[in-house]
Amino acid sequence: MGRPPPRAALNWTILLLLLGAWAGGCKAQGPKVLEGQECEPFSQPWQAALFQGQRLLCGAVLVSAHWILTAAHCKKPKYKVRLGDHSLQKRDGPEQEIAVTQSIPHPCYNSSRHDDHSHDLMLLRLRGQASLGTRVKPIDLADQCAQVGQKCVISGWGTVTSPRENFPDTLNCAEVQIFPQKTCEDAYPGQVSEGMVCAGNSNGADTCQGDSGGPLVCNGKLQGITSWGSDPCGRPDRPGVYTNICRYLDWVKKTMGNRG
């Protein structure tokens, strides 16, 4: 069996009845499922979106006025970062769109091996400085690894159903918790490294296609970057897999510091 796909384009099989109007009346199947819901607008001020032209490519995370973190598998020759967004269709007050001047994948990431998601992390340098405020604000990086059972928040504009795709207009959030590493390894034999961390819940809260590069936030700090997981998404026994930021802190700080 091949490796589950990257989360490149937040399924939650748990999300949502809130999006029916935008989706042309498409209704969620079954009862009101799990915990996913539309985020409180601008409650995730570090959330960014990567666009290739008018197409949403991936999620991303603002970590300074000049720098964005995302997944290395999101790398393209050219894209723009959108900040301060909640609705993708409507113009939000604090919305900013800034070009990317440099993409720096982790040096150990192997883009030629599509079955290997190790070191799935990339820094993007913005062409201009982001205008910061309460609705556009960098997030602090976790300086300690997450504890098993720790509650965290995932967010993104990825599909809210799986395997059938249904992309929302507004940013969606869900609460998950950190899984034991052994549980993660047992769910994906031979595919999980110490540079990864798993998170989910008993209801199947999960990220999915469209959420890659987005944040896993624990106690207000960035603990992970959405990377890959099960297909279809949202299986309680197969949690989402995130690049474990605490394992890459030195590389991130050094890379940003060396380039100003």
Side-chain angles (χ1 to χ4, degrees):
M1 179 178 175
R3 177 179 295 256
R7 307 268 149 134
L10 227 215
N11 147 87
W12 344 74
T13 40
I14 65 169
L15 287 168
L16 278 176
L17 297 178
L18 299 178
L19 302 170
W22 177 82
C26 177
K27 297 179 181 179
Q29 300 300 307
K32 196 168 186 176
V33 282
L34 310 190
E35 321 171 68
Q37 60 185 8
E38 181 178 353
C39 303
E40 179 71 25
F42 313 112
S43 62
Q44 314 298 311
W46 43 78
Q47 177 79 48
L50 280 184
F51 277 83
Q52 192 174 35
Q54 298 300 309
R55 184 173 71 91
L56 176 68
L57 179 67
C58 282
V61 190
L62 184 69
V63 293
S64 84
H66 288 103
W67 290 96
I68 296 284
L69 266 178
T70 189
H73 74 259
C74 295
K75 189 175 187 293
K76 296 292 181 185
K78 185 178 181 180
Y79 29 45
K80 290 184 177 181
V81 170
R82 195 182 290 180
L83 303 167
D85 224 348
H86 181 66
S87 164
L88 296 180
Q89 301 297 317
K90 298 176 183 177
R91 179 75 181 180
D92 297 307
E95 186 179 296
Q96 303 170 44
E97 193 168 271
I98 307 174
V100 172
T101 60
Q102 192 175 16
S103 301
I104 310 170
H106 189 277
C108 296
Y109 178 73
N110 189 346
S111 60
S112 64
R113 289 192 59 185
H114 298 296
D115 62 341
D116 185 357
H117 298 295
S118 300
H119 317 293
D120 190 12
L121 191 65
M122 179 168 61
L123 273 164
L124 305 178
R125 184 174 175 83
L126 301 177
R127 181 180 299 279
Q129 179 172 313
S131 178
L132 305 181
T134 57
R135 295 183 172 187
V136 176
K137 183 170 63 175
I139 191 171
D140 292 332
L141 305 179
D143 52 7
Q144 295 184 342
C145 293
Q147 301 298 306
V148 173
Q150 187 171 1
K151 298 292 178 64
C152 307
V153 174
I154 49 178
S155 55
W157 289 277
T159 179
V160 297
T161 56
S162 179
R164 179 172 173 261
E165 293 184 344
N166 176 19
F167 291 91
D169 172 44
T170 53
L171 186 67
N172 283 275
C173 292
E175 184 178 273
V176 294
Q177 64 184 35
I178 302 298
F179 276 40
Q181 198 71 355
K182 186 176 187 308
T183 302
C184 194
E185 292 168 355
D186 289 347
Y188 305 105
Q191 301 174 17
V192 176
S193 71
E194 67 173 15
M196 303 173 189
V197 63
C198 282
N201 68 20
S202 59
N203 295 321
D206 197 6
T207 48
C208 199
Q209 278 64 45
D211 292 315
S212 285
L216 172 72
V217 178
C218 312
N219 291 335
K221 294 190 175 183
L222 183 65
Q223 199 76 60
I225 291 290
T226 303
S227 182
W228 61 282
S230 66
D231 184 18
C233 315
R235 291 177 52 181
D237 59 330
R238 305 193 77 188
V241 188
Y242 302 80
T243 303
N244 199 359
I245 290 297
C246 68
R247 302 291 186 185
Y248 297 95
L249 200 56
D250 289 346
W251 175 77
V252 172
K253 289 184 174 180
K254 183 178 179 181
T255 303
M256 290 168 59
N258 287 347
R259 290 165 174 81

